[in-house]
Amino acid sequence: MQNILERKAFTVSMANEKNIKAIDYLGVTSGNKVANKFKKSGLTAIRSENVDAPLIAELPLALECKLVSYDEKTELLLGEIVNVTADDSVLDENGKLSVEKLAPVCYDSAGHGYYVMERRVGNAFSDGKTL
Ligand SMILES: Cc1cc2nc3c(=O)[nH]c(=O)nc-3n(C[C@H](O)[C@H](O)[C@H](O)COP(=O)(O)O)c2cc1C
């Protein structure tokens, strides 16, 4: 949090199944206690061209954000997405993001499980109109 406040920027990366161990390690370890946290995770921090915050080379999709506000009391942090970086491997033939190809990992905080989101089950703003 200290870094985000100093740099006024942060990135939000989406992980896939390949990176589970590494991203869980980043979550359970603090850089305040383990100085070489990134190196130990096996992931690579690279410089973003758009914000003063690192990107993770191995993660295929990232939102690059400028800090808009942070409320210490509620810990509510707001950011403006100024760029989205996507690896070619997660784009479809039209250059659009393919959720199936990305297959992002989601976290279930109740069961402490990681799940992969990869199957489309409906069409937004459309399926409901059939009723
Ligand atoms: C599965 C998982 C979920 C987490 N969710 C949150 C969360 O919602 N909010 C939060 O402040 N920290 C959460 N954490 C803890 C942070 O990831 C952790 O404090 C942070 O990585 C510490 O790293 P740092 O001190 O190097 O910044 C979570 C950790 C894990 C493993």
Side-chain angles (χ1 to χ4, degrees):
M1 195 58 228
Q2 198 187 330
N3 275 344
I4 296 176
L5 292 176
E6 276 172 22
R7 307 293 178 100
K8 298 195 172 10
F10 61 95
T11 60
V12 181
S13 295
M14 312 288 156
N16 52 31
E17 199 174 347
K18 273 192 286 187
N19 311 110
I20 289 288
K21 275 191 188 173
I23 55 136
D24 191 63
Y25 177 78
L26 292 183
V28 295
T29 314
S30 174
N32 297 329
K33 291 187 179 152
V34 182
N36 56 350
K37 170 175 166 176
F38 248 100
K39 198 163 184 233
K40 280 191 127 183
S41 75
L43 297 172
T44 320
I46 51 171
R47 191 170 285 279
S48 157
E49 288 175 15
N50 303 289
V51 294
D52 190 6
L55 288 166
I56 300 176
E58 292 81 0
L59 302 188
L61 185 78
L63 312 179
E64 294 163 83
C65 308
K66 284 193 174 152
L67 178 65
V68 172
S69 63
Y70 176 64
D71 185 313
E72 255 182 43
K73 205 168 161 195
T74 60
E75 296 188 330
L76 179 69
L77 178 142
L78 289 180
E80 178 195 356
I81 301 169
V82 294
N83 192 59
V84 178
T85 302
D87 192 84
D88 283 346
S89 64
V90 299
L91 301 180
D92 67 15
E93 57 281 5
N94 300 313
K96 299 244 178 198
L97 177 71
S98 160
V99 175
E100 281 95 346
K101 286 184 174 182
L102 175 64
V105 165
C106 310
Y107 169 52
D108 162 31
S109 59
H112 289 186
Y114 294 115
Y115 291 82
V116 171
M117 185 175 99
E118 59 187 340
R119 192 167 60 87
R120 186 173 178 130
V121 293
N123 298 304
F125 305 106
S126 162
D127 288 353
K129 289 183 184 167
T130 59
L131 291 183

